[in-house]
Amino acid sequence: SAVISQKPSRDICQRGTSLTIQCQVDSQVTMMFWYRQQPGQSLTLIATANQGSEATYESGFVIDKFPISRPNLTFSTLTVSNMSPEDSSIYLCSVVWGEGGYTFGSGTRLTVV
Amino acid sequence: ILNVEQSPQSLHVQEGDSTNFTCSFPSSNFYALHWYRWETAKSPEALFVMTLNGDEKKKGRISATLNTKEGYSYLYIKGSQPEDSATYLCAFRGSQGNLIFGKGTKLSVKP
């Protein structure tokens, strides 16, 4: 399976600021996925990032709030913009490998104060 | 709106106990059911990907069953150990391809 390096592992940010989360994969993958888990909630898909095209966002998530970059087949970033306490969550990136299995990064635990 | 339910929300057992959790999911447009084990500050670890009704899979002391007609899967842990303490997630994959996760079952195993 692919190995994903995700940074930062955690951060505490002031409201109104932005944080960029990075994921580096050790092999080339077509699609990368970004998830969020708010406290007490399910892991929820934010968007799918394809190399060379704009990310596809799920209902309830918009590009202005969560801009995504996918400059090549091994790297992607997610930015959480103009943060509020409601953005406090664990953010995970993920890729598909093999027979439909998903590999995840180790997550970014974000606290907005 | 597709809904994936997991129960119980949390579970506390003694070392050596056997335990099981439930995942309920939509019985229509089924493609696969995934189980993950997620320890704090680590990546969710894939346990099983199950696709066929009646499937039973085993990995060491952990096993899972699948009933796609009624929309449920069970995860069993035999002889729980403290290192089994984690959150266990199930995820439904429908024909659209996205994973839809339950909220997880948090297992704590006391020595």
Side-chain angles (χ1 to χ4, degrees), chain A residues 25-94:
Chain A
V25 190
D26 68 348
S27 54
Q28 293 185 338
V29 292
T30 305
M31 291 192 291
M32 291 181 72
F33 305 92
W34 287 97
Y35 288 86
R36 174 179 81 175
Q37 186 187 45
Q38 294 177 299
Q41 301 301 312
S42 311
L43 266 175
T44 301
L45 182 64
I46 298 171
T48 302
N50 297 313
Q51 194 268 334
S53 63
E54 280 200 0
T56 304
Y57 289 82
E58 297 299 306
S59 175
F61 298 96
V62 295
I63 188 171
D64 290 346
K65 177 66 177 177
F66 297 102
I68 287 171
S69 79
R70 186 79 202 277
N72 57 55
L73 291 173
T74 63
F75 187 78
S76 180
T77 68
L78 170 79
T79 298
V80 187
S81 302
N82 188 24
M83 288 184 283
S84 66
E86 292 72 36
D87 295 319
S88 297
S89 299
I90 299 173
Y91 293 84
L92 285 163
C93 61
S94 174

Side-chain angles (χ1 to χ4, degrees), chain B residues 48-108:
Chain B
F48 305 112
V49 179
M50 308 180 78
T51 56
L52 298 176
N53 184 44
D55 239 0
E56 289 189 30
K57 294 205 171 184
K58 189 174 180 182
K59 187 176 183 179
R61 293 179 291 100
I62 305 176
S63 60
T65 61
L66 179 67
N67 183 324
T68 61
K69 293 184 179 179
E70 295 182 39
Y72 65 84
S73 176
Y74 294 133
L75 187 80
Y76 301 91
I77 301 179
K78 185 177 178 182
S80 302
Q81 300 296 308
E83 57 265 30
D84 296 328
S85 298
T87 296
Y88 291 81
L89 299 173
C90 73
F92 166 84
R93 187 176 180 191
S95 53
Q96 293 79 8
N98 293 342
L99 285 183
I100 300 169
F101 284 87
K103 293 182 180 180
T105 294
K106 186 173 183 178
L107 174 66
S108 298

